[in-house]
Amino acid sequence: MAQTRQDPYELLRKMQQDSLENAPGLPQEVEATKLWSGVGFRLGDIMLVTPLDHVLEILPPPPMTLVPGVKPWLKGVANVRGNLITIIDLPEYYGKPTVFQDDKARMLIMNVPGLNAGLLVNEVLGLRHFDEELERQDLSGLDDPVLVQLNGAFLRDNVLWGVFDMKSLAESPAFRHVAA
């Protein structure tokens, strides 16, 4: 039995031609939507979202020690992993009903240098993503004390999500003045 030897270069050319004829096309280049991401939380009946870099940690409200002679919205201090954290009831700070400490209540530890503070909120709703260009909203028609700390809002599924600026809150003289 005689075997016919094929020219290796001819074999390679045939393989190249076959692959060019049967290869799928390159994917179409599509510009991806730029998303804005943040931590969603509820303050009474208001839905808010804060930038990821404004929050250091999220945890259930820890046991706290009361501090005498302070405004009622400062609920006390707590030891969180060796750090003394001042605990603020955020809804009460804005004149809303205090956070009912149930299984939904959470504390957002603020990522502000020189300030060890945790904000009690009614509920944390997880990570939220918004299309920066399509969903930005103007808040000029709304009236709520929280608006002072908002940098716009996003509208998603008929829910308005205010963009809460924790750094602006931390710089506020009213927030820093806790003596009663």
Side-chain angles (χ1 to χ4, degrees):
M1 228 188 226
Q3 268 192 324
T4 57
R5 289 198 53 146
Q6 254 189 325
D7 178 24
Y9 293 113
E10 186 58 40
L11 183 59
L12 286 173
R13 277 191 281 280
K14 182 174 180 352
M15 289 171 60
Q16 179 184 24
Q17 186 62 33
D18 287 348
S19 64
L20 287 174
E21 289 172 2
N22 298 320
L26 292 175
Q28 184 178 2
E29 189 173 318
V30 178
E31 191 172 318
T33 305
K34 188 171 182 184
L35 295 178
W36 184 94
S37 298
V39 177
F41 62 98
R42 188 171 56 82
L43 195 70
D45 57 352
I46 299 174
M47 301 303 210
L48 298 171
V49 63
T50 192
L52 290 173
D53 64 341
H54 287 202
V55 178
L56 201 58
E57 187 174 359
I58 301 168
L59 53 143
M64 52 192 112
T65 302
L66 297 176
V67 178
V70 295
K71 297 202 174 158
W73 45 263
L74 194 147
K75 295 303 179 188
V77 293
N79 181 344
V80 177
R81 285 181 243 341
N83 294 311
L84 189 62
I85 304 290
T86 304
I87 300 176
I88 287 90
D89 187 312
L90 196 58
E92 191 172 351
Y93 172 79
Y94 288 111
K96 300 177 180 306
T98 187
V99 171
F100 179 69
Q101 294 201 21
D102 58 7
D103 60 337
K104 290 183 179 181
R106 290 291 178 267
M107 182 173 71
L108 304 173
I109 297 181
M110 300 171 73
N111 186 17
V112 177
L115 181 66
N116 291 340
L119 304 175
L120 291 177
V121 297
N122 299 94
E123 182 178 9
V124 169
L125 303 164
L127 199 57
R128 295 287 183 239
H129 307 284
F130 301 95
D131 181 335
E132 271 190 2
E133 295 175 10
L134 298 178
E135 299 181 22
R136 276 279 181 190
Q137 299 293 316
D138 179 26
L139 298 173
S140 57
L142 299 176
D143 180 31
D144 194 284
V146 179
L147 288 177
V148 182
Q149 262 74 52
L150 298 188
N151 288 334
F154 294 106
L155 185 62
R156 161 85 49 86
D157 300 327
N158 289 328
V159 175
L160 192 65
W161 292 83
V163 179
F164 190 79
D165 185 355
M166 286 191 186
K167 295 184 190 233
S168 163
L169 174 67
E171 294 168 358
S172 162
F175 183 77
R176 292 233 177 218
H177 185 74
V178 298

